[in-house]
Structure formats: structure tokens, C-alpha cells
């Protein structure tokens, strides 16, 4: 370390003065420390005014964290630096422009308001309603088009879920303009247009912000890079700090290609490397380094551990989700109540649905925790609402709404004509009584409806865990899912993962009413109890954990077709999934465990590609152990 507590690599990068520069910073290498020290160096060594330096980052949380850490380290100085997101800078520019022309625009609510607009647009073209999953996908893909500046005939190799995605995007933006609304993408688009149309304003900003630093540059989109480049003066004083191996927001338009092409586009650019990992056990560092070598589109870089090797990463295999959760309870709850020093522990997962059975387990045990981006939408997922409709109809056979929801999703062989008859004639009576009396049915069809009535009577008497299995098998719901997963944009593994989570919640309950009540109470709990930032136990998607670190990390649901996702079969998409796994692995300081369930909802759950890649590393001297009860290699 140098006299100012920086490594030689950090010190060298922090002394960079003018001209373009790229610093490649591996996980845990002290990039924020570097950026803060460079600010001080520019001011105190080169006499640059603090308000001439602009430090931009991807998220508000990162900007706030950098400002906090600067204050803690150099709060005694009189320097006042600007830390902000790229969107905030674009917003301030756009807002000033609107004020100058006496015009007002309203920022679009990214939740319910945006859903209503996109749903109306989608229904006009597709004649069906957007479900929650499709809304999120459509919103992301429209943002992707604009952030990557894609053309209809130049999709950049991206696969979209709808053939008319560009028409949907244009309809959405026309609606916003017509109703004087704007969203985050509009901030950037409009700011760029303003700068291009107003050379005087552009020159003013160039002289105002002589130096621009960009943190987390691997998360920056093509559109954002264009905006930043418009602000650069003749010296091109752009200082990027990034790790192309941690670029995980491709679905939002992150553009790591900009980094890979930076040296060739800027032959005079300085290139720095931060290779020391100050965060993780050496075993974790070696394993992560080996894993990410599976990607080809990246800078080759070294990752050196600062800490000794103590505990190797492990894969632990369990029979099912229930046994996995019991193990997690032992690791999280018992140790959290011990008198030992507090250890931060994170449960990380690819998709939010993985959190709900863990939330249920922790809440039942009255264990405090925090959760990043609570999975509230999961409690309104159509698959869960289907199950609730089955339970409701069993308990209240007069419930027409529940019957309409599931009429064609079970083996009752109900036709559209039969449904219309029930709607016209039920008048508060039992749905099954009306089905049995339909005059145009053949005898065998009537017997089928009598059987259906008996099955729902049986369903009413079952405990919820057994009832879900009964719905899947005896009532044919699993067959419906198998026949429709492709149309619904799912895989069976994804559907089984959800059903498994619902069964875990249902297992200790006694009745269908208890199940419905429990789902409602968990949703209410998450609405009010997920933001406590002081708890040692953290639940998060891997995306949400980026920039954080924990003493212990437990990664769950690394299953085929889920992680990597079923669409990520090759090239860029697969490489981004591997980068996501790498980010999750490198959050761990002392201990990393991947918890794998051998069976999901009763079906064999083989190894994900990433589990196989980790297992293959066991042939080297630096990787992880075999696991609890059985050898990980036996899963091949």
C-alpha cells in the first residue's frame, strides 16, 4: 500500500489527469475509494474547482453511497462535489428547457399508470390483457429499443417476445407525447435532442463540467453514452470505472460493447487495472475467476485475493425444497439468535418467486430480515390466482368468478357453450348443480360433471398441501400447464418451481381458507416490513445485490431453464447470465453455498449449466467441496 492507503494500482489511476481513461475494476477492488481519491487529487494537486467535476453513476443508491463515503473520509474539507445519476442530470437539463418554453410535462408513474397505458395499447393490437409478467417484459423491451437505439431492421441480435414490438413502442411514445407525459427514457432522448439543437447550451455545459467520471460504466446504455459524449470538451476528460464482467442489465439496455471498443475508439486513452480483491476468501476469488473465463466477449484480467483461503465454496444437495428451507432456517435463525458477533447473511436468487417460501419461513419463525425489492407482484401471479380460484370454488361452489377463471384449466371438459349456460342460469346456485342439469349434455357428459362435483367435494376436505397436489393431478391442472407453457411464455421447470413454493407455504396449514388467508397476510407483511436496512439477514435477487457484500451468501434455485434462463442458450444472453452468476458469487466475503434441490414439485431437477461448470472446477486445486449427504458430482 502507498502512503495514502491506496494500492499502487489505485494510486496510479487516481493520479490520472486529462484525456480519456478506462479503469477495469474487479469485484471488491476499491473502485469507490479510487474515485473519491481522484476527486481530491484533481482539486488539491491540479487546482481544479470541485464544481467543474461531475461524478455520474447508474443508480441513486450508488450516488448516495459515494457521497456518504466521501463525507466520512474527507468531510473535513470544504470541497463540495456533485454525485448524481445520469438520469438526474438529463432530468435537470430537460426540466430547465421545459421551464424556458413555459411548458409542463408529468413524470409517468412506473407502476400502475404505466401498466394501464401499455395494457390499453397491447389490447388494441393483441385483443387480450397484459399479465404482470408480460407487462414487465414489454416495458423492459421498449426501454431496450430506445436505450440501444435499435432500428426495425437492426435489432442487434436481440430476440423480442412480440413481432410488433416496434409498433407497440411507437404507440406508447405517441400516447405520452399526446398526453404530455414522459418517462426515464424520454429524459435522455429529450436531453440529447436539446443539446444537439442548442450549440450554445452545449458549449456552456462543456465548460461547466470540464471533468466527467462515470462509475459502474458497464451498466450504462448506448443512449446514456451518447448523452455523456455530448458534454465532453476538447480534452475528452472522461474517466470510466467499470467491470465488463459485472454487466448484468442487458435487458434494460446496458451496453458493455462500448467498454470493449473504448481502447480502439480512443487510441490515446489510458487503461488501468484494479486486480486486488479485498472482499472475498481466496477460494471464492479463484472459483469466480475460473467461472467467468467461460465468457469470450470480455477483457482478460487478473483477480488476486488479498485474504487467505479458509472455506471453499460448496454445493449442498437436498431432496426437496422443504429440506433445503429447513437447512436455511438452521443457518439463519439459530445463528442470528446466538451471542456470537453479527454476521451478515444473504439469500440470493435469479427470480423473485424464489423469495416467497423463504419469507414465509422467516416470518413464521419471527426472524427479522430485510428484502430488496419485495416480490409483491408474485402474490398476484396468475398461477397463484388459479390455485386460489380452485380453493375458493371448493369452499363456495356458487362462486361464478372463480369458476370462470379455471373452467378451461381442468379436466371437466367444459365447453364455451356450457360456460355460457352456467353464466345465464346459475342465479346464486351451486355451479356444479347447474352443470349437471344442462339439457343439451349427453349422459356421459353429465356423469363427467357429477364426477367433477365429487372431486371438488373431496378437494374441500383436503389439507392445502395435499389439495394442491390433487389440483395438479386429479383435476388435471398440471396437464393444462404442460400443454400451454410455451403459449404462456413459461417452461415446466419454471411452473414447477412456483408450485413448489406454494406447497411450502401450504404445508403447515389445515384448510383452503388458511391458505388464502396466509397468502393475503404475507402480501400485507411485505408491504410494511421489507425496508429495514439494519437487519443482518438479507433476501435479494442477484440484480438487487449488486454493489453489496455479505459475510455469507446462500444462492438458491440455480435450476435448468431458470438460471441460466431458458432463452439464454448462447452468445450474449448466455454470457450475461454467467456474469449474473459471477456477481452473486462475488458478493460473498467468507462463505458461499449453492443450495440445490434434487426434486422440484416431485420431478427430478438436474444440474444447471452453472452447477456443472462449478463441478468441473473441482478437478483443480482451488475449487469447492462435495456436499452434504451426497457428492455433487453424483448429480451429473
Amino acid at each position: 500500500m502507498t502512503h495514502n492507503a491506496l494500492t499502487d494500482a489505485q494510486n496510479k489511476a487516481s493520479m490520472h489527469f486529462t484525456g480519456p481513461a478506462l479503469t477495469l475494476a474487479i469485484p471488491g477492488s476499491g473502485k469507490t475509494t479510487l474515485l473519491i481519491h481522484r476527486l481530491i487529487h484533481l482539486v488539491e494537486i491540479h487546482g481544479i474547482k470541485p464544481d467543474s467535476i461531475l461524478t455520474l453513476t447508474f443508480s441513486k443508491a450508488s450516488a448516495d453511497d459515494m457521497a456518504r463515503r466521501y463525507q466520512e473520509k474527507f468531510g473535513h474539507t470544504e470541497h463540495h462535489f456533485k454525485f448524481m445519476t445520469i438520469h438526474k442530470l438529463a432530468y435537470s437539463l430537460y426540466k430547465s428547457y421545459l421551464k424556458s418554453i413555459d411548458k409542463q410535462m408529468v413524470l409517468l408513474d412506473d407502476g400502475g399508470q404505466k401498466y394501464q397505458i401499455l395494457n390499453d395499447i397491447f389490447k388494441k393490437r393483441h385483443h387480450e390483457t397484459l399479465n404482470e409478467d408480460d407487462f414487465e417484459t414489454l416495458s423492459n423491451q421498449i426501454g431496450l429499443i430506445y436505450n440501444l437505439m435499435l432500428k426495425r431492421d437492426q435489432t442487434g441480435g436481440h430476440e423480442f417476445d412480440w413481432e410488433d414490438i416496434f409498433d407497440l413502442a411507437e404507440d406508447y411514445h405517441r400516447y405520452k407525447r399526446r398526453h404530455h407525459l414522459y418517462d426515464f427514457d424520454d429524459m435522455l432522448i429529450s436531453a440529447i435532442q436539446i443539446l444537439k439543437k442548442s450549440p450554445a447550451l452545449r458549449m456552456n455545459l462543456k465548460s461547466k463540467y470540464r471533468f466527467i467520471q462515470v462509475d459502474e460504466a458497464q451498466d450504462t446504455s448506448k443512449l446514456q453514452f451518447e448523452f455523456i459524449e455530448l458534454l465532453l470538451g476538447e480534452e475528452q476528460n472522461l474517466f470510466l470505472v467499470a467491470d465488463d464482467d459485472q454487466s448484468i442489465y442487458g435487458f434494460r439496455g446496458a451496453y458493455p460493447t462500448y467498454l470493449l471498443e473504448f481502447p480502439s475508439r480512443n487510441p490515446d486513452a489510458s487503461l488501468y487495472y484494479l486486480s486486488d480483491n479485498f472482499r472475498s476468501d481466496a477460494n471464492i476469488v479463484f472459483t469466480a475467476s475460473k467461472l467467468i473465463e467461460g465468457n469470450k466477449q470480455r477483457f482478460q484480467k487478473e483477480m488476486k485475493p488479498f485474504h487467505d483461503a479458509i472455506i471453499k465454496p460448496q454445493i449442498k444437495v437436498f431432496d426437496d425444497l422443504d429440506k433445503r428451507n429447513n437447512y436455511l432456517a438452521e443457518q439463519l435463525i439459530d445463528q442470528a439468535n446466538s451471542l456470537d458477533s453479527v454476521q451478515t447473511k444473504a439469500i440470493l436468487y435469479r427470480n423473485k418467486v424464489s423469495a416467497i417460501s423463504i419469507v414465509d419461513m422467516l416470518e413464521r419463525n419471527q426472524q427479522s430480515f430485510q428484502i430488496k425489492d419485495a416480490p409483491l407482484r408474485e402474490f398476484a401471479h396468475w398461477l397463484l390466482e388459479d390455485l386460489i380460484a380452485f380453493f375458493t370454488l371448493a369452499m363456495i361452489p356458487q362462486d361464478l368468478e372463480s369458476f370462470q377463471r379455471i373452467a378451461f384449466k381442468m379436466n371437466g371438459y367444459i365447453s364455451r357453450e356450457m360456460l355460457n349456460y352456467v353464466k345465464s342460469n346459475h342465479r346464486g346456485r351451486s355451479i356444479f348443480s347447474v352443470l349437471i342439469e344442462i339439457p343439451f349434455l349427453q349422459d356421459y357428459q353429465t356423469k363427467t360433471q357429477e364426477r367433477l362435483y365429487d372431486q371438488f367435494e373431496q378437494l374441500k376436505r383436503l389439507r392445502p398441501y395435499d389439495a394442491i397436489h390433487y389440483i395438479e393431478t386429479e383435476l388435471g391442472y398440471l396437464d393444462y400447464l404442460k400443454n400451454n407453457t410455451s403459449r404462456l411464455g413459461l417452461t415446466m421447470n419454471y411452473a414447477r418451481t412456483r408450485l413448489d413454493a406454494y406447497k411450502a407455504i401450504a404445508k403447515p396449514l389445515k384448510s383452503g381458507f388458511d391458505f388464502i388467508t396466509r397468502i393475503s397476510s404475507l402480501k400485507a407483511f411485505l408491504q410494511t416490513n421489507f425496508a429495514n436496512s439494519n437487519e443482518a439477514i438479507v433476501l435479494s435477487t442477484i440484480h438487487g445485490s449488486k454493489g453489496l457484500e455479505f459475510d455469507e451468501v446462500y444462492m438458491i434455485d440455480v435450476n435448468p431453464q431458470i438460471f441460466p434462463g431458458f432463452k439464454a442458450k448462447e452468445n450474449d444472453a448466455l454470457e450475461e447470465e454467467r456474469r449474473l452468476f459471477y456477481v452473486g458469487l462475488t458478493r460473498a466475503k467468507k462463505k458461499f453455498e449453492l443450495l440445490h434441490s434434487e426434486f422440484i414439485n416431485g420431478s427430478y431437477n438436474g444440474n444447471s449449466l452453472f452447477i456443472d461448470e462449478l463441478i468441473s472446477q473441482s478437478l483443480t486445486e482451488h475449487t469447492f467441496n462435495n456436499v452434504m449427504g451426497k457428492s455433487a458430482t453424483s448429480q451429473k
Side-chain angles (χ1 to χ4, degrees):
M1 303 287 268
T2 64
H3 68 279
N4 59 3
L6 298 183
T7 65
D8 290 341
Q10 288 173 326
N11 200 53
K12 185 178 179 181
S14 71
M15 293 171 64
H16 178 84
F17 185 31
T18 57
L22 171 62
T23 299
L24 294 167
I26 65 160
S29 60
K31 62 182 180 58
T32 302
T33 299
L34 157 66
L35 284 164
I36 291 172
H37 278 82
R38 182 170 183 262
L39 291 174
I40 298 298
H41 188 86
L42 287 173
V43 173
E44 298 188 351
I45 303 301
H46 296 288
I48 305 300
K49 294 180 180 179
D51 57 6
S52 295
I53 311 168
L54 182 62
T55 301
L56 301 173
T57 191
F58 173 70
S59 69
K60 184 178 184 301
S62 295
D64 291 344
D65 179 63
M66 196 175 300
R68 177 187 60 78
R69 291 172 66 175
Y70 166 74
Q71 189 64 30
E72 289 175 354
K73 193 168 187 65
F74 298 106
H76 60 281
T77 70
E78 297 179 357
H79 309 320
H80 299 288
F81 296 105
K82 289 184 174 66
F83 303 97
M84 68 175 73
T85 64
I86 300 169
H87 276 106
K88 184 176 180 180
L89 178 63
Y91 170 71
S92 63
L93 178 60
Y94 185 39
K95 188 177 180 181
S96 297
Y97 170 75
L98 290 174
K99 186 177 181 180
S100 71
I101 61 173
D102 196 27
K103 188 176 180 181
Q104 287 191 336
M105 299 282 278
V106 178
L107 181 61
L108 185 64
D109 170 22
D110 207 32
Q113 187 182 12
K114 187 173 184 179
Y115 170 79
Q116 192 59 55
I117 294 168
L118 286 179
N119 185 48
D120 289 344
I121 290 169
F122 188 82
K123 282 170 69 175
K124 286 179 181 177
R125 289 189 176 273
H126 291 262
H127 311 292
E128 60 180 318
T129 299
L130 268 180
N131 62 44
E132 290 289 341
D133 288 343
D134 284 344
F135 162 63
E136 190 167 347
T137 301
L138 179 59
S139 180
N140 285 333
Q141 290 184 1
I142 288 175
L144 185 72
I145 287 171
Y146 285 90
N147 275 281
L148 290 183
M149 304 162 68
L150 299 177
K151 308 293 184 185
R152 288 177 181 267
D153 58 343
Q154 297 175 336
T155 60
H158 292 277
E159 293 185 10
F160 294 102
D161 288 51
W162 299 276
E163 290 183 0
D164 61 346
I165 184 67
F166 285 89
D167 295 318
L168 292 165
E170 288 176 4
D171 289 348
Y172 171 59
H173 281 272
R174 270 196 297 268
Y175 181 94
K176 287 185 295 179
R177 286 195 296 270
R178 191 163 60 247
H179 293 85
H180 306 291
L181 297 168
Y182 70 98
D183 61 15
F184 284 99
D185 294 333
D186 294 316
M187 291 180 194
L188 288 164
I189 294 168
S190 300
I192 289 170
Q193 291 172 342
I194 292 165
L195 289 174
K196 287 181 175 179
K197 290 178 181 178
S198 178
L201 173 62
R202 186 177 167 191
M203 288 303 298
N204 181 55
L205 289 171
K206 283 183 177 184
S207 61
K208 181 178 180 180
Y209 299 123
R210 183 182 166 194
F211 292 85
I212 297 179
Q213 299 189 140
V214 181
D215 186 23
E216 304 285 9
Q218 74 278 351
D219 296 327
T220 305
S221 73
K222 194 173 185 179
L223 192 66
Q224 290 169 332
F225 278 124
E226 180 179 354
F227 173 56
I228 291 168
E229 287 185 340
L230 287 170
L231 300 175
L232 295 177
E234 290 184 9
E235 293 176 306
Q236 295 288 296
N237 292 330
L238 178 62
F239 188 83
L240 303 177
V241 179
D243 182 4
D244 53 305
D245 290 330
Q246 295 188 73
S247 182
I248 59 174
Y249 290 102
F251 64 94
R252 292 181 185 170
Y255 191 59
T257 302
Y258 184 93
L259 301 177
L260 296 174
E261 296 175 349
F262 191 80
S264 60
R265 283 200 323 275
N266 301 276
D268 297 328
S270 299
L271 196 59
Y272 305 100
Y273 292 88
L274 302 188
S275 302
D276 295 294
N277 181 299
F278 297 103
R279 175 186 299 156
S280 304
D281 179 297
N283 283 315
I284 295 171
V285 172
F286 290 133
T287 302
S289 182
K290 187 69 176 176
L291 175 93
I292 201 62
E293 288 177 2
N295 281 358
K296 305 305 178 188
Q297 301 299 315
R298 59 185 294 265
F299 287 105
Q300 295 298 317
K301 58 182 78 72
E302 186 180 9
M303 184 155 61
K304 298 180 292 187
F306 178 79
H307 297 289
D308 294 334
I310 299 175
I311 303 175
K312 294 183 178 180
Q314 295 184 33
I315 296 175
K316 291 185 181 287
V317 179
F318 304 88
D319 287 341
D320 54 31
L321 179 145
D322 191 52
K323 288 184 174 59
R324 184 204 73 187
N325 283 1
N326 288 339
Y327 172 78
L328 261 178
E330 293 172 3
Q331 299 301 304
L332 301 176
I333 298 168
D334 291 350
Q335 293 184 33
N337 294 330
S338 72
L339 298 177
D340 296 337
S341 60
V342 175
Q343 299 285 299
T344 55
K345 304 168 188 283
I347 303 93
L348 303 183
Y349 35 84
R350 176 68 176 81
N351 299 317
K352 292 179 186 177
V353 67
S354 298
I356 64 175
S357 70
I358 310 296
V359 170
D360 177 67
M361 176 265 290
L362 291 171
E363 196 277 338
R364 285 184 188 281
N365 286 279
Q366 299 182 320
Q367 176 61 55
S368 298
F369 63 94
Q370 58 170 303
I371 183 166
K372 305 289 185 183
D373 196 9
L376 290 171
R377 286 183 182 172
E378 287 300 327
F379 292 95
H381 193 276
W382 59 264
L383 203 154
L384 179 57
E385 291 188 340
D386 282 355
L387 290 183
I388 289 173
F390 277 105
F391 280 115
T392 302
L393 187 61
M395 294 184 295
I396 310 171
Q398 300 85 2
D399 193 312
L400 179 61
E401 184 178 350
S402 293
F403 174 68
Q404 286 179 275
R405 181 176 186 87
I406 59 176
F408 307 131
K409 299 178 181 180
M410 54 185 174
N411 55 10
Y413 304 101
I414 295 165
S415 66
R416 180 68 60 182
E417 188 179 15
M418 292 166 66
L419 175 59
N420 290 335
Y421 183 90
V422 171
K423 289 166 64 176
S424 301
N425 294 277
H426 93 289
R427 292 187 291 276
R429 292 186 294 152
S430 165
I431 299 297
F432 303 103
S433 298
V434 181
L435 284 170
I436 291 169
E437 72 177 24
I438 294 176
F440 52 78
L441 295 186
Q442 300 292 324
D443 286 345
Y444 75 91
Q445 291 176 301
T446 300
K447 290 185 184 303
T448 297
Q449 301 314 308
E450 290 172 346
R451 173 185 56 79
L452 191 65
Y453 169 73
D454 291 338
Q455 287 175 320
F456 270 83
E457 283 292 302
Q458 173 69 11
L459 178 63
K460 181 170 60 177
R461 293 190 288 268
L462 294 174
R463 294 175 68 96
Y465 180 88
D466 297 321
I468 295 175
H469 180 71
Y470 190 84
I471 290 166
E472 292 173 317
T473 54
E474 299 303 316
L475 288 170
Y477 187 63
L478 212 53
D479 289 334
Y480 161 76
L481 291 176
K482 289 176 183 176
N483 294 330
N484 290 275
T485 46
S486 177
R487 181 181 65 82
L488 297 170
L490 298 176
T491 67
M492 271 310 293
N493 220 23
Y494 190 59
R496 289 184 187 279
T497 298
R498 288 185 176 280
L499 291 167
D500 222 13
Y502 305 148
K503 284 182 178 177
I505 295 172
K507 193 158 191 177
L509 304 174
K510 295 181 179 180
S511 70
F513 177 77
D514 290 343
F515 180 76
I516 295 170
T517 302
R518 181 60 179 164
I519 294 297
S520 179
S521 66
L522 283 174
K523 184 176 181 181
F525 171 76
L526 284 175
Q527 287 173 327
T528 57
N529 291 275
F530 65 85
N532 190 335
S533 60
N534 297 317
E535 298 298 339
I537 297 173
V538 178
L539 277 61
S540 178
T541 61
I542 302 175
H543 284 101
S545 74
K546 191 164 176 293
L548 303 177
E549 59 183 39
F550 309 93
D551 292 308
E552 300 178 9
V553 167
Y554 301 88
M555 191 182 291
I556 60 174
D557 290 347
V558 183
N559 300 329
Q561 301 179 319
I562 292 176
F563 196 15
F566 73 98
K567 293 182 181 179
K569 296 176 182 177
E570 57 186 15
N571 300 333
D572 294 346
L574 180 57
E575 291 210 352
E576 175 153 331
E577 290 282 292
R578 188 177 284 106
R579 293 194 294 266
L580 184 62
F581 190 95
Y582 172 81
V583 166
L585 175 58
T586 54
R587 297 312 91 197
K589 295 165 68 175
K590 301 176 181 178
K591 177 180 177 182
F592 176 87
E593 292 185 358
L594 190 156
L595 310 183
H596 181 67
S597 301
E598 194 169 21
F599 290 89
I600 294 180
N601 201 39
S603 293
Y604 177 69
N605 180 37
N607 285 341
S608 157
L609 169 67
F610 295 146
I611 292 179
D612 279 340
E613 288 185 2
L614 289 178
I615 289 171
S616 71
Q617 289 188 41
S618 64
L619 301 176
T620 72
E621 60 178 319
H622 296 306
T623 53
F624 55 70
N625 302 328
N626 290 334
V627 300
M628 187 176 166
K630 60 181 74 179
S631 167
T633 54
S634 71
Q635 300 305 299
K636 279 192 159 184

